[in-house]
Amino acid sequence: MSTQEFYIRGEADTEARGPFNLDQLASLAEAGQVNGDTLYYDAAIEQWVTTGSNPELMATLFPEKRRLRMKQKIDIKTVNVENEGDEPIRVEEMLAAAEGKTRETAGKGDPKAAFELVAGWGRRVLTLIVAVMMVSMLLPYLEPIYSFDWKTMIATPPILFGALDLFILILLLLGATTVYPLVRFRALLGLGFFGLTHYLAGEMQFLVPLLAASAGLYLTTAAVSWTVLIAAGALGLLGSGFYAFLVLG
């Protein structure tokens, strides 16, 4: 039947259309131009017959569409079951739970909020360390600074480091955390330069507090937890404070 050619016409038509192959006839049926009452010429019996009289042809032109079946409803169990005697949840309790302030949610607060809190306190601690280091750098050389003796200031490394500390301090007070890479560079450069200077001068008592202050500066900029921040902050404050005491004493 797939190679058979069909001539078709309506019951009231005087002229036939065609020839059509089976695929073309199926397209016409899908477009609504052929139905069970459409006549086609059956060459075997040499007569015009309706398409509805040929079950095989009808099955080809009008295949039964699959019936859509609904999936069986799945009984999903939920843990949100309201039990008798349960108290209603208040908005205050929901907010406290979200902040990790209830007994059930203690220690399960938003990690992003905790990180931001640590970072905020880290900037404050860093500001104190830088301020102490700036004082230890600039205070012994107030005379050339007050007199604007540029030649002396440029030739005095502690003044240059103190000026850098002042610049960093201003940015930290403005809340600029983008200065952290510069703080790390300052910590490493200061440790290398002043560490070598004190070592060559035989001032070994300066090395330990200088190392502690530099390590505290560096680690405070990288602190993401309270443990690291407290350890780095204590190291930096104690080291910078003792270094300032030795320099100014």
Side-chain angles (χ1 to χ4, degrees):
M1 182 179 290
S2 60
T3 59
Q4 183 179 351
E5 293 183 338
F6 296 88
Y7 290 87
I8 59 173
R9 67 180 178 86
E11 205 172 354
D13 294 339
T14 56
E15 294 183 0
R17 293 184 294 162
F20 301 108
N21 59 31
L22 190 58
D23 292 335
Q24 292 172 330
L25 197 63
S27 298
L28 292 173
E30 187 175 356
Q33 298 182 25
V34 174
N35 54 42
D37 296 327
T38 302
L39 298 173
Y40 79 95
Y41 187 75
D42 190 344
I45 60 176
E46 297 183 350
Q47 291 182 6
W48 289 91
V49 296
T50 61
T51 55
S53 64
N54 188 335
E56 184 181 355
L57 180 60
M58 286 293 292
T60 303
L61 298 181
F62 305 99
E64 291 187 7
K65 294 182 179 180
R66 295 181 178 179
R67 294 182 180 180
L68 296 176
R69 295 182 179 180
M70 299 296 293
K71 290 185 177 181
Q72 186 178 2
K73 183 179 179 181
I74 301 175
D75 186 17
I76 301 176
K77 295 182 179 181
T78 177
V79 295
N80 300 321
V81 179
E82 184 176 356
N83 299 317
E84 186 177 355
D86 287 347
E87 295 182 0
I89 300 177
R90 296 178 300 174
V91 176
E92 293 82 0
E93 294 176 349
M94 294 175 62
L95 294 176
E99 296 174 1
K101 296 181 179 179
T102 63
R103 183 178 61 183
E104 294 81 4
T105 60
K108 300 179 181 178
D110 184 2
K112 182 179 179 181
F115 173 77
E116 291 176 352
L117 186 60
V118 172
W121 278 102
R123 183 173 56 83
R124 295 181 180 94
V125 173
L126 192 62
T127 302
L128 290 175
I129 300 173
V130 173
V132 175
M133 291 300 295
M134 180 193 69
V135 170
S136 67
M137 295 290 112
L138 296 181
L139 200 57
Y141 304 96
L142 290 180
E143 184 176 349
I145 295 175
Y146 285 151
S147 60
F148 292 100
D149 186 353
W150 295 104
K151 292 183 179 180
T152 302
M153 287 191 289
I154 294 174
T156 308
I159 296 179
L160 299 179
F161 276 89
L164 179 59
D165 290 337
L166 178 60
F167 174 71
I168 294 173
L169 181 63
I170 293 173
L171 293 180
L172 289 173
L173 291 173
L174 294 175
T177 56
T178 53
V179 74
Y180 281 10
L182 180 59
V183 175
R184 300 186 187 110
F185 174 75
R186 159 66 178 91
L188 296 177
L189 182 63
L191 176 62
F193 179 82
F194 289 106
L196 181 61
T197 300
H198 291 307
Y199 177 78
L200 294 177
E203 300 170 339
M204 308 303 292
Q205 70 275 18
F206 289 91
L207 295 181
V208 173
L210 178 63
L211 176 61
S214 300
L217 271 177
Y218 192 96
L219 295 176
T220 303
T221 63
V224 294
S225 66
W226 287 110
T227 304
V228 176
L229 176 59
I230 292 172
L235 189 65
L237 289 172
L238 291 175
S240 60
F242 192 56
Y243 183 79
F245 173 77
L246 293 176
V247 170
L248 301 176

